[in-house]
Amino acid sequence: MGTSLRMAPTAELLDGGVALPDTSRRTFRLDGTRWETPGPDDAEALVKRLVRAGVLDRDPLVADVLRGHRPAVSQRTVERRFRAATGLTRGAVRQIERARTAARLLAAGEPAAGVAAKLDYFDEPHLARALRTYVGRTARQLREGAGGAIALDVDQRLTS
């Protein structure tokens, strides 16, 4: 969270993407440099190379705010930088995190009514809408492990 492509504003990437010119099955061009297309086990290494090359930017203020720190700048500045770096408001990120927490609890077998109460959802339908919107699964799918692999933790490296 808070990492972005230097060459494209985050707002353009949110619910969209970037057309990469001169792309083949084995390579792609990004920010004027040819990169090897990673396999599933090589994606993290590619990200590290992109960071070293300066293709990716990271706003440390976003990481600090997500860890609960209160930076010595105005709340308006925090919100503006947070939105510029992530493409989302802090409130949207909180909603996503709450839905992920609910998904983890449901996948662990907790009843939907208990999860809704524990995480301050107004009611179960509100929880259900949040799960569909932010996690892409229903409570039943999460309890049954149905619907395919899903990464519920930002720091989780594998999805299956």
Side-chain angles (χ1 to χ4, degrees):
M1 185 67 66
T3 302
S4 59
L5 282 172
R6 184 173 45 86
M7 63 177 266
T10 303
E12 289 180 18
L13 299 175
L14 190 64
D15 296 328
V18 174
L20 300 175
D22 196 21
T23 301
S24 71
R25 287 182 54 136
R26 294 184 173 207
T27 63
F28 63 95
R29 188 172 298 279
L30 180 64
D31 203 30
T33 303
R34 181 163 296 287
W35 300 90
E36 188 176 321
T37 302
D41 298 329
D42 305 328
E44 292 295 323
L46 172 64
V47 170
K48 288 177 184 174
R49 289 194 304 273
L50 292 171
V51 168
R52 281 194 303 272
V55 175
L56 295 178
D57 284 337
R58 181 162 176 84
D59 189 338
L61 180 128
V62 172
D64 287 346
V65 168
L66 290 171
R67 283 193 296 268
H69 296 123
R70 300 187 81 170
V73 295
S74 72
Q75 287 302 309
R76 185 168 184 234
T77 297
V78 169
E79 190 64 40
R80 188 174 54 247
R81 285 183 54 188
F82 198 93
R83 188 170 188 119
T86 66
L88 301 167
T89 64
R90 287 188 301 158
V93 170
R94 281 190 295 269
Q95 289 177 26
I96 291 166
E97 288 303 315
R98 184 168 69 151
R100 285 180 170 169
T101 300
R104 278 193 290 275
L105 293 171
L106 290 164
E110 290 202 31
V115 171
K118 183 183 287 188
L119 297 177
D120 293 326
Y121 283 99
F122 183 73
D123 55 17
E124 287 184 59
H126 183 205
L127 170 63
R129 281 190 300 279
L131 290 170
R132 279 193 309 273
T133 300
Y134 298 117
V135 180
R137 302 286 192 278
T138 65
R140 174 179 280 165
Q141 287 174 319
L142 290 163
R143 275 193 306 275
E144 295 172 355
I150 185 168
L152 295 175
D153 186 354
V154 174
D155 297 323
Q156 181 177 334
R157 297 200 183 266
L158 300 175
T159 58
S160 58

